[in-house]
Amino acid sequence: MSNKIKVSSTQQVRKAAGQRLNYVSISVILLALTAYPLSVFSADESQAVVNRLQESLIASMKGGAKIGFAGRYEVLQPVVLETHRLKSIARVAIGRYWRDLSEQEQKTYLELFSRLSVSGYASRFWKFKGEHFEIVSEDTLKTGKKIIRSDLYLDDGDTIRLEYVLSEVGGEWKIINVIAKGISDLAIKRAEYTSIMSKDGFDTLLVKISETIEKLKNKHIEEETQA
Amino acid sequence: MTLKLPKFDHSHAKRKVTSPWLRLLALGALVLTSSGCVTAKKGGTPGDPFEKPNRAFHSLNHKLDTILLKPVAEGYAKSVPAPVRKGVTNFFNNLGEINVIVNDLLQGKFEDGLDDFGRLLANSTLGLGGILDVATPMGLPRHEEDFGQTLAVWGFGQGAYLTVPILGPSTIRDEPGRLVASATNILFYVNERAITFPLGILSTINRRANLIDAIKEVDESALDRYIFVREAYLGDRNFLIYDGNPPLEDLFEDEFDFEFEEEEEQE
């Protein structure tokens, strides 16, 4: 009798355990089902791109002078290449002159442009003093492009309003412009590049971009050699 | 009341300047009677009709800054402790508060005007003549308004971009703002050079010191310094005109869009 009871109680325990397991697996499946469409189909996809960039910027800042410019460049490069539509940005920055470039020239220019973009981030986000990013809003333009507004909170309590413009190609959202406090990175580059192209030509543009990369690289060299 | 702001445009130069002063009166009256709905034509292609003289003045200003102002401002920033410099900045901001209030009202932002009047009172008294900004922690943050922004809200086109000798970047629309800013500043009515002259110098050095990092950024990132400053100035002004929320479509000019689509098709 007591044996029987024992058996049935172990059976019950097993059964209960099985049920619990079922609940767990069902809830996991349900979670997965709800999470899947969220990440793939909803608006959060474009925000995820901005988040990914900003997380790497924080990582770059935290690496700081210790890992040096080269270290920060290494942290940022894959993320910047993945989150930005650099070819399009470079193409718009040089405006109508793009068509006049040979294939080799376009390649050289694109290569230099992406080095400039990564270097810009690596030199600007070089020191961590407790900054953090917060996404404020997301809007869709008439053309289908998205604007993600985000604030960068500085250590002294100030904030910098950043606006990321993203476009979607083949289901992938990528950044095509960054506007800081109303100042558009692409507008500046386009005005500069087209002016240099019209006055001095392509070689001068390449020289000037290379010089800027050098300047960005050496910006914090003193602190970095001390660290 | 909703203020419909004019579209920001670079087309200034091609705009006729025939009616603005009449429009100023008419639109001013409209704003003051609080209907304040102003629309303007959409902008055309960018232009910089005074680029040549502007560039000359830009490099003159840059040289003067490098030789005279920058070293002094850097010395000032190094030797004067940050809280003192903050006090100096607050003091001059407070002197400029009347200008902000006047332009709040001219733009029909009456609530802001009241708040800024509260700021002026609180900072001038509790804030020891403006040295402490006690208003911000009281929930009265600083607004940035000037007559150039007011003209924009009233529907005036931006006018050509200008580099003013010694004074720096501006536009035709922003220039009258200097007069309004002076006329609303108490120092303008102090007829004692022994007071106004040193204060003027301190204000200039302090302002330049506050810009050290920003100007360094320009020096490091600019491929063409003149153009970089021009575009940054115009972007910043647009940001201020719309109180930090420029219309979404302004964030990405149509011209850009066209080329992106072309590029994306090729990908």
Side-chain angles (χ1 to χ4, degrees):
Chain A
M1 188 72 184
S2 63
N3 260 355
K4 239 185 181 177
I5 292 167
K6 254 187 191 167
V7 168
S8 69
S9 70
T10 41
Q11 274 174 341
Q12 273 172 349
V13 169
R14 271 191 200 150
K15 212 175 161 188
Q19 272 173 345
R20 221 177 301 142
L21 205 79
N22 270 337
Y23 289 139
V24 170
S25 51
I26 286 168
S27 45
V28 164
I29 290 165
L30 278 176
L31 257 176
L33 279 174
T34 48
Y36 180 74
L38 262 182
S39 65
V40 175
F41 301 114
S42 84
D44 295 47
E45 177 79 354
S46 48
Q47 285 189 22
V49 172
V50 173
N51 272 330
R52 194 161 139 57
L53 172 69
Q54 295 185 333
E55 273 162 23
S56 76
L57 295 176
I58 295 282
S60 167
M61 284 193 270
K62 285 186 174 163
K66 240 184 356 224
I67 59 171
F69 179 87
R72 296 194 300 276
Y73 192 98
E74 213 171 289
V75 168
L76 291 165
Q77 189 188 30
V79 184
V80 173
L81 294 186
E82 214 181 286
T83 52
H84 293 64
R85 213 173 290 291
L86 281 180
K87 191 183 167 197
S88 298
I89 300 171
R91 157 86 178 75
V92 170
I94 202 169
R96 64 187 174 86
Y97 298 98
W98 173 259
R99 285 183 212 110
D100 304 338
L101 301 181
S102 72
E103 218 167 281
Q104 187 51 47
E105 285 173 328
Q106 288 181 350
K107 221 181 126 200
T108 313
Y109 166 67
L110 284 177
E111 217 275 310
L112 213 52
F113 189 87
S114 68
R115 268 178 55 206
L116 175 73
S117 306
V118 182
S119 302
Y121 280 121
S123 100
R124 251 161 246 144
F125 294 86
W126 76 288
K127 197 180 201 176
F128 187 70
K129 289 190 274 179
E131 292 87 346
H132 71 279
F133 291 97
E134 253 172 49
I135 289 183
V136 182
S137 67
E138 179 183 315
D139 287 286
T140 308
L141 298 180
K142 272 184 286 183
T143 51
K145 294 186 171 57
K146 278 196 173 147
I147 305 279
I148 297 189
R149 291 199 160 98
S150 168
D151 282 333
L152 168 58
Y153 287 79
L154 303 177
D155 61 315
D156 59 4
D158 270 359
T159 56
I160 295 178
R161 169 56 58 87
L162 298 165
E163 272 140 345
Y164 294 90
V165 187
L166 291 96
S167 75
E168 188 245 65
V169 177
E172 268 191 328
W173 286 96
K174 286 189 181 187
I175 296 164
I176 48 175
N177 194 14
V178 184
I179 300 159
K181 279 193 153 179
I183 298 171
S184 155
D185 182 56
L186 187 51
I188 290 180
K189 288 206 168 92
R190 184 178 166 93
E192 285 184 315
Y193 292 14
T194 51
S195 165
I196 293 169
M197 285 301 285
S198 76
K199 284 180 191 141
D200 311 300
F202 185 60
D203 291 340
T204 307
L205 178 66
L206 292 186
V207 170
K208 291 202 169 183
I209 296 178
S210 309
E211 281 171 2
T212 305
I213 294 172
E214 278 308 300
K215 272 193 266 177
L216 293 168
K217 198 155 110 188
N218 297 323
K219 189 174 173 186
H220 308 293
I221 199 135
E222 269 175 45
E223 292 93 334
E224 282 161 6
T225 40
Q226 279 165 18
Chain B
M1 189 193 71
T2 50
L3 265 181
K4 197 168 178 197
L5 289 162
K7 186 104 175 157
F8 176 67
D9 74 288
H10 295 262
S11 69
H12 33 296
K14 285 165 193 158
R15 265 246 177 105
K16 270 192 244 159
V17 201
T18 46
S19 57
W21 298 106
L22 277 175
R23 279 168 67 203
L24 187 151
L25 284 172
L27 293 172
L30 261 177
V31 170
L32 289 172
T33 54
S34 88
S35 70
C37 289
V38 181
T39 46
K41 273 180 280 172
K42 221 183 145 218
T45 50
D48 186 357
F50 301 129
E51 181 171 346
K52 261 198 175 163
N54 280 348
R55 274 191 187 273
F57 290 136
H58 176 88
S59 66
L60 171 76
N61 289 351
H62 186 39
K63 270 178 206 146
L64 286 176
D65 176 66
T66 312
I67 300 164
L68 295 171
L69 194 50
K70 188 182 165 196
V72 178
E74 283 177 345
Y76 167 85
K78 261 190 201 143
S79 51
V80 181
V84 178
R85 278 186 280 131
K86 183 82 190 153
V88 173
T89 304
N90 288 340
F91 174 75
F92 288 110
N93 281 348
N94 192 54
L95 288 181
E97 200 68 58
I98 297 174
N99 187 34
V100 177
I101 298 166
V102 166
N103 286 291
D104 280 334
L105 300 179
L106 290 175
Q107 290 172 41
K109 296 170 182 162
F110 300 113
E111 255 177 59
D112 285 0
L114 262 180
D115 283 358
D116 292 332
F117 188 65
R119 271 184 66 82
L120 179 68
L121 286 184
N123 287 341
S124 302
T125 54
L126 296 172
L128 309 173
I131 292 167
L132 301 173
D133 179 5
V134 293
T136 299
M138 283 163 64
L140 297 171
R142 187 168 174 260
H143 295 114
E144 281 186 72
E145 299 294 355
D146 55 59
F147 195 61
Q149 293 179 54
T150 298
L151 289 176
V153 170
W154 285 359
F156 279 77
Q158 169 192 286
Y161 175 74
L162 302 172
T163 305
V164 184
I166 313 218
L167 298 174
S170 185
T171 60
I172 288 179
R173 186 175 61 194
D174 286 340
E175 272 309 290
R178 288 191 209 278
L179 292 176
V180 178
S182 297
T184 51
N185 194 315
I186 298 167
L187 284 184
F188 186 69
Y189 303 96
V190 176
N191 276 326
E192 186 58 68
R193 283 213 153 188
I195 298 172
T196 54
F197 192 67
L199 278 180
I201 289 181
L202 177 61
S203 161
T204 307
I205 295 171
N206 185 65
R207 200 183 317 147
R208 177 61 179 85
N210 287 342
L211 289 172
I212 287 175
D213 285 341
I215 293 177
K216 218 180 185 180
E217 174 80 31
V218 175
D219 291 333
E220 278 149 3
S221 316
L223 268 69
D224 181 323
R225 207 175 181 282
Y226 167 75
I227 290 184
F228 193 103
V229 171
R230 183 188 74 198
E231 293 303 310
Y233 176 81
L234 296 177
D236 177 58
R237 291 299 294 168
N238 194 41
F239 191 71
L240 290 176
I241 288 165
Y242 289 103
D243 297 328
N245 284 305
L248 289 175
E249 305 299 332
D250 269 15
L251 293 176
F252 221 63
E253 293 166 29
D254 301 341
E255 190 184 4
F256 286 0
D257 269 348
F258 171 71
E259 288 184 19
F260 267 114
E261 273 147 29
E262 193 181 351
E263 175 63 30
E264 281 160 6
E265 274 165 27
Q266 285 168 17
E267 273 179 352

